[in-house]
Amino acid sequence: MNYQVALVILIGGAALGMMAILSAIVSILAIITPVDTKVTGALSAFAGLALGLTVVAPVFLTIQAGYKVPRIHDISTDLQNPPSFETILTLRTTEHNALDRQTPANLTLLQQAGYPDLGPLLIDKDPSQVFSEAVALAKTRGWEIIAVSAEDGIIEATDTTQFMGFKDDVVIRVSAKVDKTIVDMRSASRIGISDMGTNAARIKAFLHDLNSEK
């Protein structure tokens, strides 16, 4: 979906929701004022109010979340040597965000300020075991697995967001570090200036669950 089209849909949905809320409020006021209040009218008005809130609430929560995070769309646990995309490059076009991590110019500083606790995962397991667990975990999340290379320790996948159907690309790098395994991860949105914190949340949740694997 094109970013501008999705934005129009988002704003339109919020506007319709607000109209439903206002209409419901007017109906409620009209009902509670006269003496001959009708139960069916009240139920209809409250149903409209609930419907309007259902539409508007997610939109405003998304917007609110966007103000609390940096306006970036490419997040990596390794800022010095981010995991690189290979196969996924063939799926992205010139209309999509670049993956050179040059936009914005202060991307690294913005990520450090916005997500200071985001970093690689160090696991006391064999790399091959961690790699297999990472592939399985990505599949259980419903991600589209694009490429898997056990030899290179690289997993490339695409996650489609539930709310607006945006596609975010993910690359996971599993490698040995002394007698342990280090897992780095990168998640980048194909469209949009800000990801509203989605990519960082995805990385944190995935690494948390991977670390919890027995």
Side-chain angles (χ1 to χ4, degrees):
M1 180 185 296
N2 181 274
Y3 180 65
Q4 285 77 14
V5 173
L7 189 60
V8 169
I9 294 175
L10 191 66
I11 295 174
L16 290 174
M18 287 300 297
M19 290 174 62
I21 291 175
L22 292 174
S23 176
I25 292 175
V26 171
S27 298
I28 292 172
L29 291 175
I31 289 170
I32 62 177
T33 301
V35 178
D36 58 339
T37 301
K38 293 184 178 180
V39 176
T40 53
L43 291 176
S44 176
F46 280 112
L49 180 60
L51 178 61
L53 289 174
T54 301
V55 173
V56 172
V59 176
F60 279 103
L61 288 175
T62 300
I63 294 173
Q64 183 182 33
Y67 280 111
K68 296 180 180 179
V69 298
R71 287 170 58 80
I72 53 180
H73 52 262
D74 189 341
I75 307 295
S76 173
T77 58
D78 187 344
L79 296 175
Q80 303 304 316
N81 181 31
S84 59
F85 293 97
E86 297 296 338
T87 306
I88 278 179
L89 292 177
T90 63
L91 304 179
R92 297 174 72 110
T93 70
T94 54
E95 295 183 354
H96 295 148
N97 292 325
L99 291 173
D100 55 10
R101 290 186 61 83
Q102 299 300 310
T103 305
N106 56 343
L107 173 59
T108 296
L109 294 177
L110 287 172
Q111 181 182 318
Q112 289 175 328
Y115 312 106
D117 59 336
L118 189 65
L121 174 66
L122 196 62
I123 309 179
D124 190 13
K125 291 181 181 179
D126 183 78
S128 61
Q129 178 184 351
V130 175
F131 185 84
S132 297
E133 291 174 350
V135 173
L137 184 58
K139 290 180 178 179
T140 61
R141 273 168 155 68
W143 297 356
E144 180 185 359
I145 305 300
I146 306 300
V148 175
S149 175
E151 181 180 357
D152 298 324
I154 296 293
I155 304 164
E156 293 184 70
T158 298
D159 183 21
T160 302
T161 62
Q162 293 183 349
F163 186 45
M164 292 299 292
F166 292 135
K167 290 186 179 296
D168 298 336
D169 294 316
V170 179
V171 56
I172 302 165
R173 182 176 65 203
V174 180
S175 55
K177 184 173 183 179
V178 191
D179 58 342
K180 296 183 179 182
T181 297
I182 186 169
V183 182
D184 277 295
M185 189 170 171
R186 181 179 173 189
S187 185
S189 302
R190 291 191 184 181
I191 59 176
I193 298 173
S194 173
D195 63 7
M196 303 293 185
T198 300
N199 288 302
R202 177 183 294 112
I203 291 175
K204 289 179 180 179
F206 186 89
L207 295 183
H208 175 273
D209 290 352
L210 183 61
N211 194 37
S212 300
E213 292 284 344
K214 302 300 182 180

